[in-house]
Amino acid sequence: GRYGPNLVRFPSGMKAIGDHLHNKSLKFGIYTSAGTKTCQGLPGSLDHEELDAQTFADWGVDYLKYDNCYSQNIPGIDRYTKMRNALNATGRKIFYSLCQWGAEDSWQWAPQVGNSWRTTGDISPYWPSIRSNFWQSQQHARRGQPGAWLDPDMLEVGDGNLTEIENQSHFSLWCLIKAPLLLGMDLNSLTKETLGIISNAKLIAINQDPNSPQATCYHGCSVKEDWSILATTLSNGDTVAIIINWSNDDLSLQSFSGQSVGVVPNPLDYIVVHDLWKDEQVGAFDFEMLKNIPLPTLKPHGSLVFQMTAYNRNDPFIVSSAIV
């Protein structure tokens, strides 16, 4: 049969919900499973893909999260491909989020099937879980691409068990590795501090830059390391780097080299370094100075995110800023 609304919760029906969301410039997301039931025991979409996909399209759905429960031992590549074909046949653009838990060697086929694909099991709002999911996902970093993003699971920012420092680091990492930015928190408990983190416009722009690849690891590239450096380039040529302290102790590195993440200014350039959390300029550095960008001590689980922009030393910005 066809999916229908819970008329107690949604007395106006699902299309009315979609219309209401769209009128507020929001997107309409929905959840089901590539099995006979969802993980909550509700009806799934296995063997009903065409009907369910058309129902979602008729309701105005923009995003489908497709889980992996009650699969009847049918290979994931078959189940998930069938729903992809059904969604495409509706003619409506629906973002297809595969939630196959990183199982069945899905990194080999999921990028060709979904718009995002889970690389891990479920996340939880504790630092060890954030760290574990990040590194599990990083194993497949080279397979992420525009339109087939790696998904280390939703954000746990603001869920209550993470410190503000951990929330900042978590959000920064997910932005730089181009993970889907889906809030897992109860918005009724949204605090001013959490809102400030999840609305960092510069980090969100990095995440959404269509021509910017997933960040590459340059130092500390395994779960066993105490600290790491990752960086990505943006469409405008800027480089963005994150330095993160995974450990439970303070980290005193003293300085950071821009050259270590591929930033090599020509003799007439200065590199202006901007701290994306403080939203302030760290300084302008020529080739030699760039080898020793000063760093503060990083608290446990803390991080820094620097955006590095090249300017000619005669650029009006450099001159007016009295940098040289």
Side-chain angles (χ1 to χ4, degrees), residues 115-174:
N115 300 120
S116 67
W117 46 285
R118 278 280 291 278
T119 49
T120 68
D122 289 348
I123 201 169
S124 62
Y126 300 94
W127 186 249
S129 178
I130 307 301
R131 182 177 183 177
S132 175
N133 276 38
F134 172 80
W135 284 117
Q136 286 182 58
S137 191
Q138 280 297 104
Q139 295 178 58
H140 312 298
R142 64 185 181 86
R143 297 181 184 271
Q145 56 188 305
W149 304 110
L150 277 65
D151 180 5
D153 206 2
M154 67 185 72
L155 289 164
E156 294 288 3
V157 175
D159 265 358
N161 294 307
L162 299 175
T163 67
E164 184 174 358
I165 287 174
E166 291 169 342
N167 280 327
Q168 282 189 350
S169 294
H170 178 22
F171 189 74
S172 299
L173 286 167
W174 263 232

Short mmCIF file of all heavy atoms in Angstrom, two decimals, residues 115-174:
data_model
loop_
_atom_site.label_atom_id
_atom_site.label_comp_id
_atom_site.label_asym_id
_atom_site.label_seq_id
_atom_site.Cartn_x
_atom_site.Cartn_y
_atom_site.Cartn_z
N ASN A 115 23.71 10.62 -3.15
CA ASN A 115 24.31 11.95 -3.06
C ASN A 115 25.20 12.10 -1.83
O ASN A 115 26.09 12.94 -1.79
CB ASN A 115 23.22 13.02 -3.03
CG ASN A 115 22.35 12.99 -4.26
OD1 ASN A 115 21.14 12.80 -4.18
ND2 ASN A 115 22.96 13.18 -5.42
N SER A 116 24.92 11.31 -0.80
CA SER A 116 25.83 11.16 0.34
C SER A 116 25.69 9.73 0.82
O SER A 116 24.67 9.08 0.60
CB SER A 116 25.51 12.16 1.46
OG SER A 116 24.25 11.88 2.06
N TRP A 117 26.73 9.25 1.49
CA TRP A 117 26.72 7.85 1.90
C TRP A 117 27.48 7.69 3.21
O TRP A 117 28.56 8.22 3.39
CB TRP A 117 27.31 6.94 0.82
CG TRP A 117 28.58 7.43 0.20
CD1 TRP A 117 28.73 8.44 -0.72
CD2 TRP A 117 29.90 6.93 0.44
NE1 TRP A 117 30.05 8.60 -1.06
CE2 TRP A 117 30.81 7.68 -0.36
CE3 TRP A 117 30.42 5.91 1.24
CZ2 TRP A 117 32.18 7.46 -0.37
CZ3 TRP A 117 31.80 5.68 1.22
CH2 TRP A 117 32.64 6.45 0.42
N ARG A 118 26.81 6.98 4.12
CA ARG A 118 27.37 6.80 5.45
C ARG A 118 28.64 5.95 5.39
O ARG A 118 28.67 4.91 4.73
CB ARG A 118 26.35 6.17 6.38
CG ARG A 118 25.38 7.17 6.97
CD ARG A 118 25.97 7.92 8.15
NE ARG A 118 26.14 7.03 9.27
CZ ARG A 118 25.15 6.70 10.11
NH1 ARG A 118 23.93 7.19 9.94
NH2 ARG A 118 25.39 5.89 11.11
N THR A 119 29.64 6.42 6.10
CA THR A 119 30.92 5.72 6.17
C THR A 119 31.12 5.04 7.52
O THR A 119 32.16 4.39 7.74
CB THR A 119 32.06 6.72 5.95
OG1 THR A 119 31.84 7.86 6.81
CG2 THR A 119 32.10 7.19 4.50
N THR A 120 30.16 5.20 8.42
CA THR A 120 30.34 4.76 9.81
C THR A 120 29.03 4.23 10.38
O THR A 120 27.96 4.36 9.79
CB THR A 120 30.76 5.95 10.69
OG1 THR A 120 29.65 6.88 10.79
CG2 THR A 120 31.97 6.67 10.13
N GLY A 121 29.14 3.68 11.59
CA GLY A 121 27.96 3.41 12.39
C GLY A 121 27.43 4.70 12.97
O GLY A 121 27.89 5.80 12.66
N ASP A 122 26.45 4.57 13.87
CA ASP A 122 25.82 5.76 14.44
C ASP A 122 26.78 6.51 15.36
O ASP A 122 27.58 5.91 16.09
CB ASP A 122 24.57 5.38 15.23
CG ASP A 122 23.43 4.93 14.34
OD1 ASP A 122 23.53 5.12 13.11
OD2 ASP A 122 22.44 4.38 14.86
N ILE A 123 26.67 7.83 15.34
CA ILE A 123 27.46 8.70 16.18
C ILE A 123 26.74 8.92 17.51
O ILE A 123 25.53 8.69 17.61
CB ILE A 123 27.70 10.05 15.45
CG1 ILE A 123 28.92 10.78 16.02
CG2 ILE A 123 26.45 10.93 15.48
CD1 ILE A 123 29.36 11.96 15.17
N SER A 124 27.46 9.37 18.52
CA SER A 124 26.87 9.74 19.80
C SER A 124 27.56 10.99 20.32
O SER A 124 28.69 11.30 19.90
CB SER A 124 26.98 8.60 20.82
OG SER A 124 28.34 8.29 21.08
N PRO A 125 26.94 11.74 21.23
CA PRO A 125 27.48 13.04 21.64
C PRO A 125 28.58 12.94 22.69
O PRO A 125 28.49 13.55 23.77
CB PRO A 125 26.24 13.76 22.17
CG PRO A 125 25.38 12.68 22.71
CD PRO A 125 25.60 11.51 21.78
N TYR A 126 29.62 12.20 22.37
CA TYR A 126 30.77 12.05 23.25
C TYR A 126 32.03 12.14 22.40
O TYR A 126 32.06 11.65 21.26
CB TYR A 126 30.73 10.72 24.00
CG TYR A 126 29.51 10.56 24.86
CD1 TYR A 126 28.38 9.91 24.37
CD2 TYR A 126 29.47 11.09 26.15
CE1 TYR A 126 27.24 9.79 25.15
CE2 TYR A 126 28.33 10.97 26.94
CZ TYR A 126 27.22 10.32 26.43
OH TYR A 126 26.09 10.20 27.21
N TRP A 127 33.08 12.75 22.92
CA TRP A 127 34.29 12.98 22.14
C TRP A 127 34.87 11.71 21.52
O TRP A 127 35.25 11.72 20.35
CB TRP A 127 35.34 13.69 22.99
CG TRP A 127 36.55 14.09 22.20
CD1 TRP A 127 37.80 13.57 22.29
CD2 TRP A 127 36.60 15.08 21.17
NE1 TRP A 127 38.64 14.17 21.40
CE2 TRP A 127 37.93 15.10 20.69
CE3 TRP A 127 35.66 15.94 20.60
CZ2 TRP A 127 38.34 15.95 19.67
CZ3 TRP A 127 36.07 16.78 19.58
CH2 TRP A 127 37.39 16.79 19.12
N PRO A 128 34.96 10.58 22.24
CA PRO A 128 35.49 9.37 21.59
C PRO A 128 34.69 8.96 20.36
O PRO A 128 35.27 8.44 19.40
CB PRO A 128 35.42 8.31 22.70
CG PRO A 128 35.48 9.09 23.97
CD PRO A 128 34.71 10.35 23.69
N SER A 129 33.39 9.17 20.36
CA SER A 129 32.57 8.84 19.21
C SER A 129 32.84 9.78 18.04
O SER A 129 32.94 9.36 16.88
CB SER A 129 31.08 8.88 19.57
OG SER A 129 30.27 8.61 18.45
N ILE A 130 32.98 11.08 18.34
CA ILE A 130 33.31 12.05 17.29
C ILE A 130 34.63 11.67 16.63
O ILE A 130 34.75 11.63 15.40
CB ILE A 130 33.42 13.47 17.89
CG1 ILE A 130 32.18 13.86 18.70
CG2 ILE A 130 33.72 14.49 16.79
CD1 ILE A 130 30.90 13.85 17.96
N ARG A 131 35.61 11.39 17.47
CA ARG A 131 36.95 11.03 16.96
C ARG A 131 36.90 9.75 16.15
O ARG A 131 37.48 9.66 15.06
CB ARG A 131 37.91 10.89 18.14
CG ARG A 131 39.34 10.59 17.75
CD ARG A 131 40.23 10.54 18.99
NE ARG A 131 41.63 10.31 18.64
CZ ARG A 131 42.62 10.28 19.53
NH1 ARG A 131 42.35 10.48 20.82
NH2 ARG A 131 43.85 10.06 19.13
N SER A 132 36.22 8.74 16.65
CA SER A 132 36.14 7.45 15.96
C SER A 132 35.46 7.59 14.60
O SER A 132 35.96 7.07 13.59
CB SER A 132 35.40 6.44 16.84
OG SER A 132 35.20 5.23 16.14
N ASN A 133 34.31 8.26 14.56
CA ASN A 133 33.60 8.41 13.29
C ASN A 133 34.40 9.21 12.27
O ASN A 133 34.41 8.90 11.07
CB ASN A 133 32.23 9.05 13.51
CG ASN A 133 31.18 8.04 13.90
OD1 ASN A 133 31.45 7.10 14.66
ND2 ASN A 133 29.97 8.20 13.41
N PHE A 134 35.11 10.22 12.77
CA PHE A 134 35.93 11.02 11.86
C PHE A 134 36.98 10.14 11.18
O PHE A 134 37.12 10.16 9.95
CB PHE A 134 36.60 12.16 12.62
CG PHE A 134 37.62 12.90 11.78
CD1 PHE A 134 37.22 13.85 10.87
CD2 PHE A 134 38.97 12.62 11.89
CE1 PHE A 134 38.15 14.52 10.08
CE2 PHE A 134 39.91 13.27 11.11
CZ PHE A 134 39.49 14.23 10.21
N TRP A 135 37.72 9.37 11.96
CA TRP A 135 38.81 8.59 11.38
C TRP A 135 38.29 7.41 10.56
O TRP A 135 38.92 7.04 9.54
CB TRP A 135 39.76 8.11 12.48
CG TRP A 135 40.66 9.21 12.96
CD1 TRP A 135 40.72 9.75 14.22
CD2 TRP A 135 41.61 9.94 12.18
NE1 TRP A 135 41.64 10.75 14.27
CE2 TRP A 135 42.21 10.90 13.04
CE3 TRP A 135 42.02 9.89 10.85
CZ2 TRP A 135 43.20 11.78 12.59
CZ3 TRP A 135 42.99 10.78 10.41
CH2 TRP A 135 43.57 11.70 11.27
N GLN A 136 37.17 6.83 10.95
CA GLN A 136 36.59 5.79 10.10
C GLN A 136 36.25 6.35 8.72
O GLN A 136 36.50 5.72 7.69
CB GLN A 136 35.32 5.22 10.74
CG GLN A 136 35.56 4.31 11.93
CD GLN A 136 34.24 3.78 12.45
OE1 GLN A 136 33.48 3.14 11.74
NE2 GLN A 136 33.95 4.07 13.71
N SER A 137 35.68 7.55 8.72
CA SER A 137 35.30 8.18 7.46
C SER A 137 36.52 8.55 6.63
O SER A 137 36.53 8.40 5.40
CB SER A 137 34.45 9.42 7.74
OG SER A 137 33.87 9.92 6.56
N GLN A 138 37.58 9.00 7.31
CA GLN A 138 38.79 9.43 6.60
C GLN A 138 39.46 8.29 5.83
O GLN A 138 40.22 8.55 4.89
CB GLN A 138 39.79 10.04 7.58
CG GLN A 138 39.47 11.48 7.95
CD GLN A 138 39.52 12.42 6.76
OE1 GLN A 138 38.47 12.83 6.24
NE2 GLN A 138 40.71 12.76 6.31
N GLN A 139 39.18 7.05 6.19
CA GLN A 139 39.74 5.93 5.44
C GLN A 139 39.32 5.97 3.97
O GLN A 139 39.99 5.42 3.10
CB GLN A 139 39.28 4.61 6.05
CG GLN A 139 39.77 4.33 7.45
CD GLN A 139 39.21 3.02 7.97
OE1 GLN A 139 39.42 1.97 7.37
NE2 GLN A 139 38.49 3.08 9.07
N HIS A 140 38.19 6.63 3.71
CA HIS A 140 37.63 6.65 2.35
C HIS A 140 37.61 8.06 1.77
O HIS A 140 36.85 8.35 0.85
CB HIS A 140 36.21 6.08 2.38
CG HIS A 140 36.10 4.79 3.13
ND1 HIS A 140 36.77 3.65 2.74
CD2 HIS A 140 35.44 4.47 4.28
CE1 HIS A 140 36.51 2.67 3.60
NE2 HIS A 140 35.73 3.14 4.53
N ALA A 141 38.49 8.92 2.31
CA ALA A 141 38.47 10.33 1.92
C ALA A 141 38.60 10.53 0.41
O ALA A 141 37.92 11.38 -0.17
CB ALA A 141 39.59 11.08 2.64
N ARG A 142 39.43 9.73 -0.24
CA ARG A 142 39.66 9.94 -1.67
C ARG A 142 38.45 9.55 -2.52
O ARG A 142 38.39 9.88 -3.71
CB ARG A 142 40.88 9.14 -2.13
CG ARG A 142 40.74 7.64 -2.03
CD ARG A 142 42.03 6.91 -2.39
NE ARG A 142 41.91 5.47 -2.31
CZ ARG A 142 41.47 4.70 -3.29
NH1 ARG A 142 41.11 5.25 -4.44
NH2 ARG A 142 41.39 3.39 -3.14
N ARG A 143 37.48 8.87 -1.92
CA ARG A 143 36.28 8.46 -2.68
C ARG A 143 35.16 9.50 -2.60
O ARG A 143 34.16 9.39 -3.30
CB ARG A 143 35.78 7.11 -2.19
CG ARG A 143 36.79 5.98 -2.40
CD ARG A 143 36.24 4.65 -1.93
NE ARG A 143 37.24 3.59 -2.04
CZ ARG A 143 37.43 2.83 -3.11
NH1 ARG A 143 36.69 3.03 -4.19
NH2 ARG A 143 38.35 1.88 -3.12
N GLY A 144 35.30 10.48 -1.70
CA GLY A 144 34.30 11.54 -1.62
C GLY A 144 34.43 12.48 -2.80
O GLY A 144 35.54 12.75 -3.29
N GLN A 145 33.32 12.99 -3.28
CA GLN A 145 33.33 13.87 -4.44
C GLN A 145 32.04 14.67 -4.46
O GLN A 145 31.06 14.29 -3.79
CB GLN A 145 33.46 13.04 -5.72
CG GLN A 145 32.37 12.00 -5.87
CD GLN A 145 32.60 11.07 -7.04
OE1 GLN A 145 32.77 11.51 -8.15
NE2 GLN A 145 32.60 9.75 -6.78
N PRO A 146 32.01 15.78 -5.19
CA PRO A 146 30.76 16.53 -5.31
C PRO A 146 29.62 15.65 -5.79
O PRO A 146 29.76 14.91 -6.77
CB PRO A 146 31.11 17.61 -6.34
CG PRO A 146 32.59 17.80 -6.18
CD PRO A 146 33.13 16.43 -5.90
N GLY A 147 28.52 15.69 -5.08
CA GLY A 147 27.36 14.87 -5.43
C GLY A 147 27.40 13.48 -4.87
O GLY A 147 26.46 12.70 -5.05
N ALA A 148 28.48 13.14 -4.15
CA ALA A 148 28.61 11.82 -3.52
C ALA A 148 29.46 11.97 -2.26
O ALA A 148 30.53 11.40 -2.13
CB ALA A 148 29.23 10.81 -4.48
N TRP A 149 28.94 12.76 -1.33
CA TRP A 149 29.71 13.16 -0.16
C TRP A 149 29.77 12.05 0.88
O TRP A 149 28.80 11.34 1.12
CB TRP A 149 29.11 14.41 0.46
CG TRP A 149 29.00 15.56 -0.49
CD1 TRP A 149 27.85 16.08 -1.01
CD2 TRP A 149 30.07 16.30 -1.07
NE1 TRP A 149 28.14 17.11 -1.86
CE2 TRP A 149 29.50 17.26 -1.93
CE3 TRP A 149 31.46 16.24 -0.94
CZ2 TRP A 149 30.27 18.16 -2.65
CZ3 TRP A 149 32.23 17.14 -1.66
CH2 TRP A 149 31.62 18.09 -2.50
N LEU A 150 30.94 11.94 1.53
CA LEU A 150 31.07 11.03 2.67
C LEU A 150 30.24 11.57 3.84
O LEU A 150 30.19 12.77 4.08
CB LEU A 150 32.53 10.94 3.11
CG LEU A 150 33.44 9.96 2.35
CD1 LEU A 150 33.63 10.38 0.92
CD2 LEU A 150 34.79 9.85 3.06
N ASP A 151 29.62 10.66 4.58
CA ASP A 151 28.76 11.06 5.69
C ASP A 151 29.17 10.30 6.95
O ASP A 151 28.83 9.13 7.13
CB ASP A 151 27.30 10.75 5.33
CG ASP A 151 26.33 11.15 6.44
OD1 ASP A 151 26.77 11.74 7.44
OD2 ASP A 151 25.12 10.85 6.29
N PRO A 152 29.92 10.96 7.86
CA PRO A 152 30.29 10.32 9.11
C PRO A 152 29.21 10.42 10.18
O PRO A 152 29.48 10.25 11.37
CB PRO A 152 31.56 11.08 9.52
CG PRO A 152 31.37 12.44 8.94
CD PRO A 152 30.56 12.26 7.67
N ASP A 153 28.01 10.69 9.77
CA ASP A 153 26.80 10.83 10.57
C ASP A 153 26.59 12.27 11.00
O ASP A 153 27.44 13.13 10.84
CB ASP A 153 26.76 9.87 11.76
CG ASP A 153 25.33 9.54 12.19
OD1 ASP A 153 24.37 10.02 11.55
OD2 ASP A 153 25.16 8.79 13.16
N MET A 154 25.44 12.51 11.58
CA MET A 154 24.99 13.88 11.86
C MET A 154 25.85 14.58 12.90
O MET A 154 26.64 13.98 13.63
CB MET A 154 23.54 13.84 12.33
CG MET A 154 23.35 13.18 13.69
SD MET A 154 21.62 13.01 14.15
CE MET A 154 21.07 11.73 13.04
N LEU A 155 25.68 15.89 12.97
CA LEU A 155 26.37 16.68 13.98
C LEU A 155 25.76 16.45 15.36
O LEU A 155 24.54 16.36 15.51
CB LEU A 155 26.24 18.17 13.63
CG LEU A 155 27.04 18.67 12.43
CD1 LEU A 155 26.51 20.03 11.98
CD2 LEU A 155 28.53 18.75 12.76
N GLU A 156 26.63 16.37 16.36
CA GLU A 156 26.19 16.27 17.75
C GLU A 156 26.40 17.58 18.49
O GLU A 156 26.29 17.62 19.72
CB GLU A 156 26.94 15.14 18.46
CG GLU A 156 26.63 13.74 17.92
CD GLU A 156 25.24 13.26 18.28
OE1 GLU A 156 24.48 14.02 18.91
OE2 GLU A 156 24.91 12.11 17.93
N VAL A 157 26.68 18.64 17.75
CA VAL A 157 26.86 19.97 18.36
C VAL A 157 25.58 20.35 19.11
O VAL A 157 24.48 20.28 18.57
CB VAL A 157 27.17 21.02 17.28
CG1 VAL A 157 27.24 22.41 17.90
CG2 VAL A 157 28.46 20.68 16.56
N GLY A 158 25.73 20.71 20.37
CA GLY A 158 24.59 21.16 21.16
C GLY A 158 23.78 20.06 21.81
O GLY A 158 22.75 20.35 22.43
N ASP A 159 24.23 18.82 21.70
CA ASP A 159 23.46 17.73 22.29
C ASP A 159 23.66 17.58 23.80
O ASP A 159 23.05 16.71 24.42
CB ASP A 159 23.81 16.39 21.60
CG ASP A 159 22.83 16.07 20.49
OD1 ASP A 159 21.88 16.85 20.30
OD2 ASP A 159 23.01 15.05 19.82
N GLY A 160 24.54 18.40 24.37
CA GLY A 160 24.60 18.47 25.83
C GLY A 160 25.78 17.80 26.49
O GLY A 160 26.15 18.18 27.60
N ASN A 161 26.39 16.83 25.84
CA ASN A 161 27.50 16.11 26.47
C ASN A 161 28.87 16.59 26.01
O ASN A 161 29.88 16.18 26.58
CB ASN A 161 27.38 14.60 26.18
CG ASN A 161 26.17 14.00 26.85
OD1 ASN A 161 25.98 14.15 28.05
ND2 ASN A 161 25.33 13.34 26.07
N LEU A 162 28.90 17.46 25.00
CA LEU A 162 30.16 18.01 24.51
C LEU A 162 30.40 19.39 25.10
O LEU A 162 29.46 20.17 25.28
CB LEU A 162 30.15 18.10 22.98
CG LEU A 162 29.98 16.79 22.20
CD1 LEU A 162 29.87 17.08 20.71
CD2 LEU A 162 31.14 15.84 22.47
N THR A 163 31.67 19.72 25.35
CA THR A 163 32.01 21.06 25.80
C THR A 163 31.93 22.02 24.62
O THR A 163 31.86 21.61 23.45
CB THR A 163 33.43 21.10 26.38
OG1 THR A 163 34.37 20.84 25.33
CG2 THR A 163 33.60 20.05 27.49
N GLU A 164 31.98 23.32 24.90
CA GLU A 164 31.96 24.30 23.82
C GLU A 164 33.17 24.12 22.91
O GLU A 164 33.06 24.24 21.68
CB GLU A 164 31.92 25.72 24.38
CG GLU A 164 31.80 26.78 23.30
CD GLU A 164 31.63 28.18 23.86
OE1 GLU A 164 31.57 28.33 25.09
OE2 GLU A 164 31.56 29.13 23.05
N ILE A 165 34.34 23.82 23.50
CA ILE A 165 35.55 23.58 22.71
C ILE A 165 35.35 22.37 21.80
O ILE A 165 35.71 22.41 20.62
CB ILE A 165 36.76 23.37 23.64
CG1 ILE A 165 37.17 24.70 24.27
CG2 ILE A 165 37.94 22.75 22.89
CD1 ILE A 165 38.27 24.58 25.30
N GLU A 166 34.77 21.29 22.33
CA GLU A 166 34.54 20.10 21.52
C GLU A 166 33.51 20.36 20.43
O GLU A 166 33.65 19.87 19.30
CB GLU A 166 34.08 18.95 22.42
CG GLU A 166 35.18 18.44 23.34
CD GLU A 166 34.66 17.49 24.41
OE1 GLU A 166 33.44 17.48 24.68
OE2 GLU A 166 35.49 16.76 24.99
N ASN A 167 32.49 21.15 20.74
CA ASN A 167 31.49 21.49 19.73
C ASN A 167 32.12 22.26 18.57
O ASN A 167 31.82 22.00 17.40
CB ASN A 167 30.38 22.35 20.36
CG ASN A 167 29.36 21.52 21.12
OD1 ASN A 167 29.08 20.39 20.76
ND2 ASN A 167 28.81 22.09 22.18
N GLN A 168 33.01 23.20 18.88
CA GLN A 168 33.69 23.95 17.83
C GLN A 168 34.55 23.04 16.96
O GLN A 168 34.54 23.14 15.73
CB GLN A 168 34.57 25.05 18.45
CG GLN A 168 33.81 26.26 18.92
CD GLN A 168 34.75 27.39 19.31
OE1 GLN A 168 35.97 27.21 19.41
NE2 GLN A 168 34.20 28.56 19.54
N SER A 169 35.31 22.16 17.61
CA SER A 169 36.19 21.25 16.84
C SER A 169 35.36 20.31 15.97
O SER A 169 35.70 20.06 14.81
CB SER A 169 37.06 20.45 17.80
OG SER A 169 37.98 21.29 18.48
N HIS A 170 34.30 19.77 16.53
CA HIS A 170 33.41 18.86 15.80
C HIS A 170 32.85 19.55 14.56
O HIS A 170 32.92 19.03 13.44
CB HIS A 170 32.30 18.43 16.75
CG HIS A 170 31.25 17.54 16.18
ND1 HIS A 170 31.45 16.75 15.06
CD2 HIS A 170 29.97 17.30 16.59
CE1 HIS A 170 30.34 16.08 14.80
NE2 HIS A 170 29.43 16.40 15.71
N PHE A 171 32.33 20.76 14.73
CA PHE A 171 31.74 21.50 13.61
C PHE A 171 32.81 21.83 12.57
O PHE A 171 32.58 21.70 11.36
CB PHE A 171 31.07 22.78 14.12
CG PHE A 171 30.25 23.48 13.07
CD1 PHE A 171 29.03 22.98 12.67
CD2 PHE A 171 30.71 24.66 12.49
CE1 PHE A 171 28.27 23.62 11.70
CE2 PHE A 171 29.95 25.32 11.53
CZ PHE A 171 28.73 24.80 11.14
N SER A 172 33.99 22.23 13.03
CA SER A 172 35.08 22.58 12.11
C SER A 172 35.47 21.38 11.25
O SER A 172 35.64 21.50 10.04
CB SER A 172 36.30 23.06 12.90
OG SER A 172 36.02 24.20 13.65
N LEU A 173 35.64 20.22 11.89
CA LEU A 173 36.03 19.02 11.15
C LEU A 173 35.01 18.66 10.10
O LEU A 173 35.35 18.37 8.94
CB LEU A 173 36.22 17.86 12.12
CG LEU A 173 37.47 17.88 13.00
CD1 LEU A 173 37.34 16.85 14.11
CD2 LEU A 173 38.72 17.62 12.17
N TRP A 174 33.74 18.64 10.47
CA TRP A 174 32.68 18.25 9.53
C TRP A 174 32.62 19.24 8.37
O TRP A 174 32.38 18.85 7.22
CB TRP A 174 31.35 18.16 10.26
CG TRP A 174 30.94 16.78 10.68
CD1 TRP A 174 29.74 16.17 10.43
CD2 TRP A 174 31.70 15.82 11.46
NE1 TRP A 174 29.71 14.91 10.99
CE2 TRP A 174 30.90 14.67 11.62
CE3 TRP A 174 32.97 15.82 12.02
CZ2 TRP A 174 31.33 13.53 12.31
CZ3 TRP A 174 33.40 14.70 12.72
CH2 TRP A 174 32.59 13.58 12.85
#
